[in-house]
């Protein structure tokens, strides 16, 4: 990669733009970008914010569409309830999402960071825009930061803090709505604090964390905290499409007045792409870990190219292969392998989701009990525990029957095995089998689970008997 204007072309990798040599924070004052990508990102962010804020209030048959109640171990996805017993489905879903993210990163770089990540959307499309609206341009914010405190500064800064805190409070409420549901959230908000002290503390902690992030920590989340950005180095290859500077076209860079005399490239070294960058990097140095693919530098450079009558796209979405050898996007072997893995995982996930029974049944022999012999009726009995989990919202009456043996089942105590919606129940029962059927110490049994005459599940267990 050509970088004639630097003594050591790779020296930028030795440091992070937001931290100075003494380890102190270098505050970034990005200029507000304008342009077609910024507009597209605004529309995408409006849509995603609307989805984020509306979803907790959507009900399916009176239940939330999504609920991630980690406190009670109860999860609702697309109106279907999931229990800790379904944890493997969550594991598989997470695995599928990770492969999806890796696949997208290999193909399209950090498109997720720039367009979908809530951190970028809230920071760049909500809080930063409010800051520009309240404080003015990036240079005004910088000057105000350096200026001594006066009434004007106090008025603007206090207004900003109040608005940021209010927004952080709203975001934390929405987050809580996903965890505890809107009904419980409404109770916490409307009832006296003393009645919901834990909920109130959780709300304030979340609010404080968001306020801290959007007022002060900002891009450090992407640079220092988020592991996804750090994995970029191992996921990207020369065919990945990222926000990239076309050094073949741009170099050697130089002022527009020198172009004719010094045979310069298209980059006029105006630094606008650096000034708009929210992570403070110079994309002309090449793909960097700090780049969140926000496209601000594309818009900035396009506006400059328009002014100097050169074609747009000096900074654009492109792969290294495309820039260096003008090669179009290629579906590489790695991409193909990831796609196959993703397809297999998604198919497995759908199969598990669709075949998941409404009632989960577990039958286990009561510990310490072997068998009883009923000499008069010529049967042998075993005692079992039955555990039923209802994964729907409605009550389900249950009957159990032997599927592959002659014999009978006798439930001990309450014969009604109705499992209430979203809950579980236990029962104990005997299985009696004719002695002549049993010719080995352990016989495998199939038990059918029925509800109102319809089979809703099957389970297996072992029946013990003396060897004849
Ligand atoms: S280099 Fe460009 S795309 Fe990357 S973070 Fe900076 S402005 Fe955004
Ligand atoms: S905005 Fe474009 S022309 Fe200006 S320095 Fe960046 S790459 Fe060069």
């Amino acid at each position: 990669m050509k970088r004639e204007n630097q003594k050591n072309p790779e020296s930028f990798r030795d440091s992070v733009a937001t931290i100075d040599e003494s380890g102190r924070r270098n505050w970034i004052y990005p200029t507000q970008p304008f342009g077609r990508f910024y507009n597209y990102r605004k529309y995408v962010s409006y849509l995603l914010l609307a989805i984020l804020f509306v979803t907790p209030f959507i009900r399916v048959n009176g239940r939330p569409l999504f609920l991630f109640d980690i406190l009670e171990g109860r999860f609702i996805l697309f109106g279907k309830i999931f229990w800790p017993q379904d944890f493997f489905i969550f594991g598989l879903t997470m695995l599928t999402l990770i492969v999806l993210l890796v696949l997208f990163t290999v193909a399209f770089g950090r498109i997720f960071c720039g367009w979908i990540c809530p951190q970028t959307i809230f920071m760049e499309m909500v809080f930063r825009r409010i800051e520009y609206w309240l404080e003015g341009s990036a240079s005004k914010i910088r000057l105000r930061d350096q200026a001594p405190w006066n009434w004007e500064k106090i008025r603007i800064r206090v207004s900003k803090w109040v608005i940021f805190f209010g927004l952080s409070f709203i975001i934390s409420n929405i987050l809580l709505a996903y965890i505890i549901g809107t009904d419980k959230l409404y109770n916490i908000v409307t009832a006296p604090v003393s009645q919901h002290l834990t909920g109130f503390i959780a709300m304030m902690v979340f609010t404080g964390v968001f306020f801290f992030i959007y007022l002060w920590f900002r891009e450090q989340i992407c640079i220092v905290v988020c592991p996804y950005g750090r994995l970029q180095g191992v996921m990207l290859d020369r065919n990945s499409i990222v926000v990239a500077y076309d050094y073949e076209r741009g170099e050697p860079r130089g002022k527009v007045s020198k172009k004719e005399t010094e045979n310069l490239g298209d980059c006029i070294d105006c630094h606008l792409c650096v000034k708009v960058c929210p992570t403070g990097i110079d994309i002309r140095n090449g793909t960097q870990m700090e780049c969140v693919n926000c496209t601000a530098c594309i818009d900035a450079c396009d506006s400059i190219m328009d002014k100097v009558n050169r074609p747009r796209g000096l900074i654009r979405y492109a792969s290294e292969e495309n820039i260096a050898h003008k090669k179009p996007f290629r579906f590489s072997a790695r991409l193909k392998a990831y796609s196959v893995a993703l397809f297999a995982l998604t198919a497995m996930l759908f199969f598990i989701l669709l075949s998941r029974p409404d009632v989960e049944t577990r039958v286990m022999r009561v510990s310490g009990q072997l068998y009883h012999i009923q000499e008069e009726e010529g049967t042998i009995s075993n005692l079992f525990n039955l555990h039923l989990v209802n994964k729907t919202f409605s009550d389900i009456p249950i009957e159990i029957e032997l599927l592959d043996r002659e014999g009978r089942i006798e439930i001990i105590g309450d014969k009604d095995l109705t499992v209430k919606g979203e809950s579980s129940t236990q029962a104990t029962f005997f299985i009696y089998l004719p002695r002549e059927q049993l010719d080995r110490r352990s016989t495998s049994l199939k038990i059918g689970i029925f509800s109102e005459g319809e089979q809703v599940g099957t389970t297996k267990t072992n029946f013990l008997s003396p060897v004849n």
Side-chain angles (χ1 to χ4, degrees):
M1 193 177 280
K2 295 178 191 172
R3 289 189 202 96
E4 284 86 345
N5 291 17
Q6 296 175 351
K7 283 181 188 146
N8 176 4
E10 294 297 320
S11 61
F12 69 94
R13 298 201 192 276
D14 299 338
S15 58
V16 176
T18 53
I19 300 170
D20 69 15
E21 282 178 1
S22 62
R24 288 163 62 96
R25 174 84 174 271
N26 251 346
W27 196 264
I28 305 288
Y29 298 93
T31 301
Q32 185 171 21
F34 291 100
R36 72 192 158 123
F37 281 105
Y38 192 59
N39 288 338
Y40 294 151
R41 283 177 61 224
K42 271 193 218 166
Y43 303 140
V44 171
S45 65
Y46 295 152
L47 177 72
L48 293 177
L49 286 171
I51 292 172
L52 181 80
F53 280 82
V54 168
T55 302
F57 298 94
I58 300 177
R59 306 251 148 185
V60 179
N61 299 325
R63 307 283 167 176
L65 185 65
F66 290 104
L67 186 77
F68 304 93
D69 192 347
I70 37 180
L71 306 173
E72 291 182 14
R74 205 173 58 117
F75 303 90
I76 299 175
L77 298 178
F78 298 104
K80 271 196 136 198
I81 189 160
F82 290 82
W83 293 84
Q85 290 91 334
D86 298 312
F87 193 76
F88 70 100
I89 296 181
F90 267 98
L92 199 61
T93 309
M94 294 312 296
L95 202 60
T96 310
L97 289 178
I98 290 169
V99 176
L100 183 70
L101 209 58
V102 170
L103 178 72
F104 258 83
T105 309
V106 170
F108 304 110
R110 290 172 77 176
I111 202 161
F112 171 84
C113 299
W115 293 80
I116 301 169
C117 176
Q119 162 65 15
T120 311
I121 289 180
F122 277 122
M123 186 65 249
E124 302 305 327
M125 292 291 148
V126 179
F127 287 90
R128 189 96 69 189
R129 287 176 67 198
I130 290 171
E131 191 169 66
Y132 290 135
W133 170 69
L134 264 174
E135 297 224 34
S137 65
S139 52
K140 280 190 183 159
I141 301 171
R142 182 195 291 270
L143 285 175
R144 192 167 290 117
D145 265 359
Q146 291 159 356
W149 284 94
N150 56 29
W151 280 116
E152 166 79 353
K153 183 167 171 174
I154 292 170
R155 183 181 62 79
I156 291 179
R157 288 291 154 91
V158 171
S159 309
K160 182 164 95 174
W161 295 338
V162 170
I163 293 175
F164 275 28
F165 190 84
L167 275 175
S168 302
F169 181 74
I170 293 171
I171 297 169
S172 78
N173 274 262
I174 288 297
L175 185 71
L176 269 180
Y178 278 97
I179 298 173
I180 59 175
T182 44
D183 293 340
K184 280 191 192 166
L185 181 68
Y186 181 76
N187 284 342
I188 294 176
V189 172
T190 51
V193 171
S194 55
Q195 287 179 21
H196 298 283
L197 198 56
T198 317
F200 179 76
I201 291 172
M203 196 181 274
M204 284 299 124
V205 168
F206 281 141
T207 304
V209 169
F210 287 128
F211 184 64
F212 168 74
I213 289 173
Y214 295 118
L215 186 71
W216 191 81
F217 205 54
R218 302 192 159 193
E219 75 289 335
Q220 296 301 303
I221 286 281
C222 310
I223 296 173
V224 183
V225 179
C226 178
Y228 177 55
R230 314 198 144 250
L231 287 173
Q232 223 195 158
V234 289
M235 290 195 275
L236 296 184
D237 63 17
R238 289 176 63 82
N239 290 301
S240 306
I241 293 178
V242 290
V243 172
Y245 166 67
D246 188 342
Y247 51 87
E248 290 289 350
R249 190 187 132 189
E251 301 295 321
R253 62 187 78 155
K255 296 294 170 209
V256 81
S257 54
K258 298 179 183 169
K259 170 133 175 117
E260 304 310 328
T261 51
E262 296 182 19
N263 199 21
L264 297 176
D266 275 353
C267 173
I268 62 165
D269 210 13
C270 66
H271 278 257
L272 192 58
C273 52
V274 184
K275 286 184 194 148
V276 294
C277 179
T279 59
I281 59 171
D282 186 343
I283 192 65
R284 295 173 301 168
N285 288 328
T287 302
Q288 292 152 72
M289 184 200 76
E290 297 95 320
C291 176
V292 292
N293 277 224
C294 73
T295 69
C297 53
I298 299 183
D299 281 333
C301 191
D302 280 352
S303 71
I304 296 296
M305 291 298 107
D306 288 350
K307 282 186 191 140
V308 296
N309 282 327
R310 289 174 198 169
R312 287 181 167 193
L314 179 56
I315 301 176
R316 63 178 185 273
Y317 277 118
S319 68
E320 176 61 22
E321 282 296 301
N322 175 259
I323 288 174
H325 307 294
K326 306 282 173 264
K327 283 189 184 164
F329 174 69
R330 199 170 58 83
F331 205 64
S332 65
R334 185 149 70 128
L335 216 44
K336 283 177 195 160
Y338 282 142
S339 303
V340 171
L342 181 68
F343 181 77
L345 279 170
T346 313
M348 203 192 317
L349 188 63
F350 269 98
F351 173 75
I352 291 171
L353 280 176
L354 293 176
S355 59
R356 193 188 74 132
D358 285 345
V359 180
E360 188 177 292
T361 318
R362 211 170 51 238
V363 172
M364 293 176 76
R365 199 190 351 277
V366 173
S367 60
Q369 301 266 346
L370 285 179
Y371 50 80
H372 296 278
I373 303 171
Q374 288 77 39
E375 294 289 357
E376 318 81 65
E377 58 174 84
T379 58
I380 292 178
S381 63
N382 280 195
L383 187 60
F384 294 91
N385 278 331
L386 172 69
H387 186 229
L388 296 162
V389 181
N390 183 348
K391 295 178 177 177
T392 70
F393 298 109
S394 337
D395 298 355
I396 299 185
I398 293 290
E399 305 100 45
I400 49 176
E401 284 177 24
L402 292 174
L403 289 182
D404 57 351
R405 300 268 163 187
E406 290 289 315
R408 69 186 166 86
I409 289 177
E410 185 183 307
I411 294 165
I412 297 171
D414 188 2
K415 306 277 186 276
D416 181 13
L417 285 185
T418 298
V419 204
K420 296 214 173 299
E422 297 180 67
S423 61
S424 61
T425 192
Q426 303 213 29
T428 308
F429 65 94
F430 278 111
I431 293 180
Y432 294 87
L433 294 184
R435 199 165 179 171
E436 67 270 10
Q437 276 190 25
L438 305 166
D439 54 1
R440 62 189 70 168
R441 191 170 158 69
S442 174
T443 306
S444 120
L445 288 183
K446 247 193 202 171
I447 298 171
I449 314 298
F450 293 82
S451 179
E452 295 172 331
E454 194 183 322
Q455 188 168 349
V456 292
T458 311
T459 186
K460 282 182 181 174
T461 189
N462 284 326
F463 189 94
L464 295 184
S465 58
V467 183
N468 283 326

